[in-house]
Amino acid sequence: MLLFEASYFCLLGIHTSVIPRHINAPQVQIVFSKRKRESQLRFLKMNKIVFLILQTAIQLASATSLRSIKPNVLALEVKDLNSHEVPLDCGEQFDGEDIHWKMNGEIIPEKGNHITVTIDGLRGGNFTCHKPNGDLLNYTLLLVHPVDFNKVVLTQSDDKEFVSCTAKNYSEHFHCSWKWHPKRNDRAVVYYSAIRNSSFINCTLDADMYGMTCTDVAYCPYSEESMSINLTLLVRNEYRLEEHHRTFLIRDIVKPDKVTLTKIEDHVFKWSPPDTWSYSCSYFPLSYEVKVIPDMDSNPDCDYMGRRVEKNETNETQYTVNKKAYKFCVRAQDRFTKKAWSDWSHHYHGKKHKQSSE
């Protein structure tokens, strides 16, 4: 009997040394069942806690946030296109007054200095608060910023960027540009800035709203550039807000202007760095790509890559062509950084002495 009880205890995973000798197998089974139920209850409680944590995380992930872009402009950041409630204020100085509201010029039922409006999807708006006689007191432009959605206000350029920045030389000036989506007609630039080392760079929006021109007065071309420029651009179409960022160094965006090309004698060409390039040229050297394209009826551009194209890279500024009819092309690139090439300069020497330069 004792041998049977010891075997029973072992099957239950209970060491016999901890079982009083007067307790028999059925009594141990009751104890074990009680412990099993307690373990199951603890497991269920733990599952409930995990579920509540996950539920909270999901709610936080889908929550909205409201941020101020600049005075009178708010951005509602959303991760879905459901309806969201947004609090609006006319202004602390108007507490206690009889205030009426309009959305995009239309009267809405909400009244008072502090109201809550419901925003459906991307339908933001221009909210204005008024005295009972209609006099304007204040306004809030409420934009909706769908986070992690595809960009639809701007389109990508050839370099796969929504915002492209270039500098003609190693100076304090650079220019950034963008392309509006052709179907976005009610568009505007909401905010733009460029910052380096926590200091704002002086930037001006181009008149056509297709770019911005910046001047970094603290930039020195003769010292090592270690701090990046951080550019922020906020644009909108109607009330949908879109945010774009670029981070770069001046040396990474330098693109020389076209070189000045001259034909000095038959089939001999000479060129010089662009007038806008940084001097001295020994400190900011350029390398050049030369292409000689045989004369064709199609008159291909300088990017043509046919088998008969003569192509060379050189640090010299003179080249002799050993053909009778051709298009001669040359462009420049910073010799050290090997970044962007300039646009092509070319001379066309066609049949019957037909010639043209650009």
Side-chain angles (χ1 to χ4, degrees), residues 87-155:
L88 295 178
D89 299 321
C90 188
E92 294 181 359
Q93 66 272 33
F94 304 122
D95 275 342
E97 295 191 22
D98 184 12
I99 297 175
H100 299 253
W101 288 82
K102 293 181 180 180
M103 175 183 178
N104 302 330
E106 300 292 330
I107 297 174
I108 57 177
E110 288 80 4
K111 293 182 181 181
N113 190 21
H114 310 286
I115 67 171
T116 299
V117 296
T118 301
I119 301 300
D120 297 321
L122 300 174
R123 297 183 181 92
N126 186 31
F127 292 85
T128 54
C129 51
H130 305 260
K131 292 181 177 180
N133 64 2
D135 289 349
L136 177 66
L137 295 175
N138 205 348
Y139 77 94
T140 298
L141 177 61
L142 180 59
L143 305 174
V144 181
H145 178 208
V147 181
D148 299 329
F149 281 50
N150 290 334
K151 307 295 186 183
V152 298
V153 181
L154 300 183
T155 60

Side-chain angles (χ1 to χ4, degrees), residues 226-244:
S226 58
M227 302 296 293
S228 298
I229 295 172
N230 297 298
L231 182 140
T232 299
L233 175 68
L234 302 182
V235 296
R236 72 178 178 96
N237 182 70
E238 296 182 344
Y239 301 107
R240 176 174 182 152
L241 182 69
E242 194 168 276
E243 186 167 3
H244 298 273

Side-chain angles (χ1 to χ4, degrees), residues 167-231:
K168 295 182 178 182
N169 50 45
Y170 287 94
S171 69
E172 68 271 23
H173 305 291
F174 63 91
H175 184 264
C176 297
S177 61
W178 49 85
K179 294 180 180 180
W180 297 95
H181 192 287
K183 294 184 179 180
R184 310 296 178 235
N185 297 319
D186 190 10
R187 59 202 185 197
V189 174
V190 178
Y191 176 84
Y192 59 93
S193 70
I195 300 175
R196 193 207 292 264
N197 196 22
S198 302
S199 298
F200 280 90
I201 297 171
N202 183 31
C203 295
T204 304
L205 185 67
D206 296 350
D208 60 3
M209 293 196 306
Y210 276 79
M212 55 190 284
T213 302
C214 300
T215 303
D216 184 6
V217 295
Y219 173 71
C220 177
Y222 301 100
S223 62
E224 182 67 23
E225 187 181 14
S226 58
M227 302 296 293
S228 298
I229 295 172
N230 297 298
L231 182 140

Side-chain angles (χ1 to χ4, degrees), residues 20-143:
R21 297 186 64 84
H22 66 276
I23 297 179
N24 56 31
Q27 289 175 310
V28 172
Q29 186 175 12
I30 294 172
V31 172
F32 179 75
S33 298
K34 184 178 180 181
R35 289 181 179 178
K36 184 177 181 181
R37 285 196 299 272
E38 290 175 350
S39 177
Q40 289 174 337
L41 287 173
R42 285 197 300 271
F43 179 76
L44 290 174
K45 289 180 180 179
M46 183 62 68
N47 279 351
K48 186 175 181 180
I49 293 172
V50 172
F51 173 77
L52 291 174
I53 293 174
L54 289 175
Q55 187 181 42
T56 303
I58 292 172
Q59 289 175 346
L60 289 174
S62 61
T64 62
S65 63
L66 194 65
R67 64 167 170 151
S68 176
I69 303 299
K70 58 184 181 181
N72 299 97
V73 181
L74 297 178
L76 176 66
E77 299 189 332
V78 300
K79 294 187 176 181
D80 56 57
L81 298 181
N82 297 327
S83 297
H84 301 283
E85 292 188 344
V86 179
L88 295 178
D89 299 321
C90 188
E92 294 181 359
Q93 66 272 33
F94 304 122
D95 275 342
E97 295 191 22
D98 184 12
I99 297 175
H100 299 253
W101 288 82
K102 293 181 180 180
M103 175 183 178
N104 302 330
E106 300 292 330
I107 297 174
I108 57 177
E110 288 80 4
K111 293 182 181 181
N113 190 21
H114 310 286
I115 67 171
T116 299
V117 296
T118 301
I119 301 300
D120 297 321
L122 300 174
R123 297 183 181 92
N126 186 31
F127 292 85
T128 54
C129 51
H130 305 260
K131 292 181 177 180
N133 64 2
D135 289 349
L136 177 66
L137 295 175
N138 205 348
Y139 77 94
T140 298
L141 177 61
L142 180 59
L143 305 174

